Amino acid sequence: MSEHTKTLDTGDKIITKYCPSNAIETNLVCNFNEPVLVQYEGKINEITTYFKPLGINAFIDNDLRHYSEGTFPDFNPYDDYKTSMRSILSIKNPDERIEQLESYWISKLRPFEDHLLENVLAEMMDAGNLNQSMTNLSHKTGRSRTTINKHFDKHICKTPSQFKKIIRFRTAIQNHLENEPGLSYNLDYFDQSHMIRDFKKLTGFTPKAFFSKIATLENGQIKWLFV
């Protein structure tokens, strides 16, 4: 969410501009699967809330797919959402801002359970199980591949294949940041060509070029958003 902005989607680029006539803009990002350049023009007052898989589902009344139509949809799940977010954006103290944001989300907490997805995600996230086939996951959960795909689309807005690519990618980044230079960061990929193909699909760069860019960032911080 951001204050006094207007966001434009040009296909391969998202441009957020200062726009004094637009009081608040709240966007949901959950279905990008291609590299997109995010460009800011002007001084932007912004807050990003990051939810882990199935995390946001406990705070919304409808399925996640309901809120994600379009490339960069406006997100306004409650009657008081934009008013409350604008109030939080006006807080100058970072700690107080975080406290108020957390209190607001907690006030919207609702029961959410999808045992099938929880079991599938547990299997996929377990060490050594990420590359198991959907047929194997189907046998373990006792549900068809079609049913599993429908649950992913409904509550995660990605296919299982897209989700696997992102998990492998995040693991590769984490391994690269934690390991000494020269150690492998492609343990979750079938082979090096598989890793190169996925990296280029998600970032537009080969692993070598991508990690080279990370090395040049201030304090080693990754200024990228991957969903």
Side-chain angles (χ1 to χ4, degrees):
M1 61 182 174
S2 51
E3 186 179 41
H4 298 307
T5 62
K6 181 67 175 178
T7 298
L8 306 174
D9 172 32
T10 65
D12 61 348
K13 181 188 293 186
I14 292 173
I15 304 172
T16 298
K17 298 182 177 182
Y18 177 72
C19 180
S21 63
N22 196 21
I24 187 170
E25 186 176 31
T26 59
N27 300 111
L28 176 67
V29 182
C30 65
N31 61 353
F32 280 100
N33 297 291
E34 302 286 344
V36 177
L37 174 65
V38 179
Q39 179 177 318
Y40 290 89
E41 296 183 1
K43 187 177 181 180
I44 307 298
N45 182 20
E46 179 186 55
I47 295 176
T48 298
T49 303
Y50 170 72
F51 292 92
K52 292 185 177 181
L54 298 184
I56 193 173
N57 304 82
F59 298 93
I60 52 180
D61 292 328
N62 301 300
D63 302 332
L64 183 58
R65 175 57 65 189
H66 173 83
Y67 303 95
S68 65
E69 295 302 322
T71 304
F72 204 55
D74 179 64
F75 185 60
N76 190 25
Y78 325 112
D79 292 339
D80 67 341
Y81 182 73
K82 289 197 174 184
T83 300
S84 299
M85 292 302 107
R86 189 178 182 190
S87 176
I88 291 171
L89 278 167
S90 69
I91 299 172
K92 302 301 181 183
N93 183 285
D95 292 334
E96 184 181 349
R97 179 183 282 195
I98 292 172
E99 182 179 341
Q100 290 300 314
L101 185 62
E102 289 180 341
S103 295
Y104 179 80
W105 281 118
I106 289 173
S107 73
K108 303 299 183 183
L109 184 65
R110 54 179 289 277
F112 172 79
E113 290 184 347
D114 188 307
H115 296 301
L116 174 60
L117 271 183
E118 290 169 1
N119 291 337
V120 171
L121 292 180
E123 284 287 340
M124 292 173 67
M125 303 288 282
D126 188 29
N129 285 342
L130 184 59
N131 289 320
Q132 64 181 305
S133 68
M134 286 302 298
T135 299
N136 192 33
L137 285 171
S138 177
H139 286 320
K140 286 186 175 181
T141 59
R143 306 293 291 275
S144 71
R145 296 176 59 175
T146 300
T147 298
I148 293 173
N149 285 334
K150 285 182 178 179
H151 280 249
F152 265 84
D153 180 68
K154 186 177 181 180
H155 296 302
I156 298 181
C157 297
K158 294 188 182 299
T159 67
S161 176
Q162 290 168 339
F163 185 80
K164 286 180 182 181
K165 286 181 180 180
I166 292 170
I167 297 302
R168 277 193 293 260
F169 176 73
R170 288 180 178 275
T171 302
I173 292 177
Q174 194 62 37
N175 286 346
H176 177 81
L177 295 176
E178 293 178 352
N179 292 337
E180 295 296 325
L183 293 180
S184 173
Y185 45 75
N186 64 346
L187 299 177
D188 289 309
Y189 293 93
F190 294 114
D191 51 37
Q192 189 170 18
S193 63
H194 180 210
M195 178 177 65
I196 292 173
R197 185 169 61 252
D198 273 11
F199 263 71
K200 292 185 73 173
K201 181 73 172 177
L202 287 169
T203 71
F205 298 102
T206 64
K208 182 177 180 180
F210 177 78
F211 286 117
S212 176
K213 288 181 176 294
I214 288 180
T216 64
L217 294 175
E218 182 181 359
N219 299 323
Q221 296 297 310
I222 303 174
K223 306 288 195 301
W224 297 65
L225 174 65
F226 295 100
V227 297

